[in-house]
Amino acid sequence: MSEQTSDRGGSPGLVEGLVRNVQKLLPARLRRDVAVVPVVRLSGVIGAVTPLRPGMSLAGVAKTLERAFATKNAKAVALVINSPGGSPVQSRQIYLRIRQLAAEKKLPVLVFVEDVAASGGYMIACAGDEIFCDPSSILGSIGVVGGSFGFQELIKKIGVERRLYTAGAHKAMLDPFLPENPDDVARVKALQREIHAIFIALVKGSRGSRLKGADDVLFTGEYWAGETSISLGLADGIGDLRSTLRDRYGEKVKTPVIAPASGMLSGLLGRRSPAASSLAALDGFAGLPEEMISALETRAIWAKFGF
């Protein structure tokens, strides 16, 4: 009797074999025997948004991050960062969203720096539990910068009269067509120091005891290549995404790249009528000087780091 019952129930080895065969037919992300580490690319100038040159922002990356952290059977989330910085507000908001999702899903975050993770780009990199880079990667630039131009002498030469009407003593602060006011400069520098302190606190809170350099070295706005960044505690090791993840999770690790949503629906929603396209073209011509300035500013940010 006992033998018949055993036959009907099936042997444990047979059941396990069937389960393994069924798992092999499933997509890798649904198989428990295969490690999955979704990958999100975060690249470009942060927060420099113009009609022709949208920059990186929380609104632009939030859904992609949420999809990555929601990936079935994920062992971790990998972020590939290549950014010279930009808006401190957008940088911090992206950082916070990554840490919130990591805590919610209880997943480690591994950051891989490509060419640059500087200024706001490094702020986002600090969302990683570990930061890896190439020996030639550039990291750091923990500081705050702002700039403008002075055109007051130019408009005098070409015979242009400046007419400006404000309500508020400092509403026209740092107007490029007015002479520089020392009091306005002092106010801007105080604002920069406040933002800089927030940046420093974020780096210290994220990197903790791993930081090896003194404050007057780490937080001057200077930046370094990969090996020096590691010695200063700004990064944890040299490593590329593929090799590092294989060493950690095995040769069969799957690394699906989570890209922004696209498809038929987004294409339909993005279509315009011929008339609308014509109007958009006219708007584009009207905004051409602004776009040129924006493109030059973006190029200047990258050029600062030799790219």
Side-chain angles (χ1 to χ4, degrees), residues 157-169:
K157 289 182 179 180
I158 62 176
V160 176
E161 179 185 357
R162 175 66 164 155
R163 295 175 180 175
L164 185 66
Y165 312 100
T166 66

Side-chain angles (χ1 to χ4, degrees), residues 38-53:
V39 178
V40 176
R41 295 187 62 87
L42 300 174
S43 61
V45 177
I46 303 165
V49 180
T50 66
L52 294 181
R53 292 180 176 270

Side-chain angles (χ1 to χ4, degrees), residues 51-111:
L52 294 181
R53 292 180 176 270
M56 194 196 316
S57 66
L58 177 61
V61 303
K63 291 296 183 183
T64 305
L65 290 171
E66 289 167 7
R67 287 171 54 214
F69 279 94
T71 301
K72 294 285 187 181
N73 299 325
K75 300 295 184 183
V77 171
L79 304 178
V80 179
I81 294 179
N82 193 18
S83 173
S87 164
V89 174
Q90 292 299 322
S91 302
R92 186 171 180 274
Q93 288 185 348
I94 294 170
Y95 165 92
L96 290 174
R97 180 61 59 87
I98 293 167
R99 293 314 311 162
Q100 290 162 358
L101 289 168
E104 178 185 332
K105 301 297 183 180
K106 296 180 174 58
L107 289 174
V109 177
L110 306 178
V111 165

Side-chain angles (χ1 to χ4, degrees), residues 1-20:
M1 261 324 260
S2 61
E3 291 180 359
Q4 292 178 355
T5 303
S6 175
D7 290 342
R8 289 174 184 173
S11 67
L14 179 60
V15 173
E16 291 175 1
L18 288 172
V19 170
R20 284 196 297 269

Side-chain angles (χ1 to χ4, degrees), residues 164-189:
L164 185 66
Y165 312 100
T166 66
H170 305 293
K171 188 63 178 177
M173 186 172 69
L174 300 182
D175 185 292
F177 296 100
L178 295 176
E180 191 174 59
N181 184 330
D183 291 339
D184 291 345
V185 174
R187 291 187 184 91
V188 169
K189 287 187 173 293

